[in-house]
Amino acid sequence: MNKPFFEQQSLKFGCTGCARCCIAGNDYFVFLSSDDAERIRGYLDLSVGWFRRRYLVKTVDGDPVLAYRDDGRCVFLQNDNRCRIYPVRPLQCKTYPFWPEVTSSKTAWQREAGRCEGINHGPGVPVATIRRMLKACMQAPA
Ligand code: SF4
Ligand code: SF4
């Protein structure tokens, strides 16, 4: 069996903090598991109702996602492009760009590089790190 794409060549990544991955639109949203939501709610010390009303919206399929402003910026993205809830950010944010669909092929990886300027820059990422991210994505609770 062929090795996965990310083991056939070293993947480089270095986040520049450009925040493009924090901007919703074109069917891109920050999805939340119930664990993600509860962790963030606790960090902000808010009631369940207030947190839901203020920080969550639903997609047309009914999935909860982080609310975003008119320009698509995540509700937690500050003016300086830093994340207000960085220590407890959703798994989707923690694992980006090492998602199964992005690391599945060179084509997918290169396509994502059109959105994320950190892809193909910076240091080579150890395979073990990529595997850990992928495992976290695959085991993410609903
Ligand atoms: S798009 Fe890429 S480089 Fe920009 S903040 Fe997100 S991970 Fe970092
Ligand atoms: S939660 Fe933080 S890291 Fe995730 S999209 Fe919002 S601002 Fe970006």
Side-chain angles (χ1 to χ4, degrees):
M1 201 166 97
N2 284 343
K3 283 183 181 177
F5 155 67
F6 60 86
E7 287 191 18
Q8 294 171 23
Q9 64 177 86
S10 173
L11 299 190
K12 289 183 181 175
F13 173 66
C15 180
T16 65
C18 74
R20 280 190 73 186
C21 59
C22 303
I23 297 173
N26 296 327
D27 286 336
Y28 176 78
F29 301 102
V30 181
F31 289 89
L32 292 181
S33 68
S34 50
D35 282 5
D36 284 327
E38 186 52 28
R39 195 174 61 247
I40 298 165
R41 188 195 68 76
Y43 181 76
L44 297 171
D45 197 20
L46 298 173
S47 70
V48 171
W50 184 264
F51 176 69
R52 280 193 190 144
R53 284 193 297 275
R54 179 71 182 81
Y55 295 109
L56 301 186
V57 291
K58 289 196 171 175
T59 64
V60 289
D61 295 328
D63 296 316
V65 296
L66 283 185
Y68 49 91
R69 302 190 177 91
D70 290 345
D71 59 2
R73 287 171 70 90
C74 172
V75 69
F76 291 121
L77 186 60
Q78 302 178 141
N79 289 340
D80 62 1
N81 279 354
R82 290 179 181 271
C83 174
R84 183 180 157 204
I85 56 161
Y86 190 79
V88 294
R89 66 201 187 285
L91 182 70
Q92 174 174 324
C93 308
K94 276 185 198 158
T95 54
Y96 184 77
F98 302 106
W99 297 346
E101 64 270 36
V102 175
T103 57
S104 62
S105 68
K106 185 168 186 171
T107 304
W109 181 252
Q110 291 303 131
R111 190 186 311 124
E112 196 68 18
R115 184 159 77 104
C116 170
E117 64 185 23
I119 287 179
N120 296 330
H121 296 94
V125 182
V127 167
T129 301
I130 299 173
R131 284 201 173 282
R132 186 160 38 81
M133 300 285 188
L134 292 173
K135 190 173 174 187
C137 292
M138 302 302 274
Q139 294 180 342

